Amino acid sequence: MYRLTNELYFPPVDSASTEGILAFGGDLSPERLLLAYRSGIFPWFNIDEPIIWWSPNPRMVLFLDEIKVSKSMRNILNRNVFKVTFNQNFSAVIRNCQKIVRPGQDGTWISEQMISAYEKLHELGHAMSIEVWQEEALVGGLYGVDLGHVFCGESMFSSVSNASKVAFVSLVNHLKSNQYQLLDCQVYNEHLASLGCREINRDDFIKLIKMTV
């Protein structure tokens, strides 16, 4: 595993371990984070660990035209059960994602260090949030890194049924209407697969990233 220094550099992604771990160390500066995402790399580490950088193979993605929206979800969207906004409260979204209890995870990987780093990216126009409201309450949302024609999803939350799905579908509709090419979902999970996401080879993912950013 490569140990990063102050130099703004990442080793080739094909040197990652079987699990997808590429390097550790470095920092979470906007410059390093953008270099990472544009290279198919992302940070993911627990609070008591050094910064760990990942580039898993295969990679979970959504080709936007492949999204699966159930009939019941279309009905919810058509009835305007929720109000959806973009970039209205990035900090509230990421902090709600921090609080979500996830099965199989002891605590959260969204540390104060991570929050500060992504809030800075948001201030610079490189991170986006989607908020889902019911009446005046924030009940769901997601955030991620915006590379221009590729959006890299980071985390989502929901405090009422269907709110995170509404955020996801609304994001995809926004990306499609703005000529984005791809939604990066990082690693496999069943929920994402049910929405149309699928795994592709890392080399193919890197080629797509290089073509679009």
Side-chain angles (χ1 to χ4, degrees), residues 88-105:
Q88 293 302 298
N89 202 330
F90 185 93
S91 295
V93 170
I94 193 171
R95 289 195 174 277
N96 274 280
C97 289
Q98 180 190 43
K99 297 173 186 175
I100 290 295
V101 177
R102 293 177 171 85
Q105 293 187 16

Side-chain angles (χ1 to χ4, degrees), residues 3-6 24-28 32 51 53:
R3 181 172 183 171
L4 299 178
T5 65
N6 291 331
F24 69 98
D27 55 45
L28 295 177
R32 191 182 297 274
I51 300 170
W53 301 90

Side-chain angles (χ1 to χ4, degrees), residues 21 24 27 76 97 114 133 156 191 198 208:
I21 299 176
F24 69 98
D27 55 45
I76 289 170
C97 289
M114 293 283 275
W133 309 84
M156 64 175 66
H191 177 63
R198 58 184 170 97
L208 289 168

Side-chain angles (χ1 to χ4, degrees), residues 104-203:
Q105 293 187 16
D106 183 15
T108 180
W109 54 271
I110 305 176
S111 64
E112 291 299 318
Q113 181 185 19
M114 293 283 275
I115 289 173
S116 296
Y118 286 87
E119 285 180 336
K120 182 63 175 177
L121 273 188
H122 175 65
E123 291 168 8
L124 295 171
H126 298 299
M128 179 167 65
S129 63
I130 295 85
E131 302 88 19
V132 179
W133 309 84
Q134 194 166 48
E135 297 179 353
E136 299 302 316
L138 180 65
V139 295
L142 62 82
Y143 75 95
V145 176
D146 190 350
L147 297 180
H149 289 287
V150 174
F151 185 82
C152 304
E154 276 296 312
S155 186
M156 64 175 66
F157 83 96
S158 179
S159 60
V160 301
S161 181
N162 293 311
S164 62
K165 287 185 180 179
V166 168
F168 188 87
V169 175
S170 299
L171 168 66
V172 173
N173 289 339
H174 171 80
L175 298 179
K176 290 172 71 173
S177 66
N178 286 278
Q179 288 75 55
Y180 281 66
Q181 303 299 312
L182 192 70
L183 173 55
D184 170 29
C185 301
Q186 298 182 345
V187 295
Y188 179 89
N189 72 54
E190 290 184 4
H191 177 63
L192 292 174
S194 73
L195 295 169
C197 303
R198 58 184 170 97
E199 293 181 313
I200 63 172
N201 183 273
R202 180 176 57 208
D203 289 344

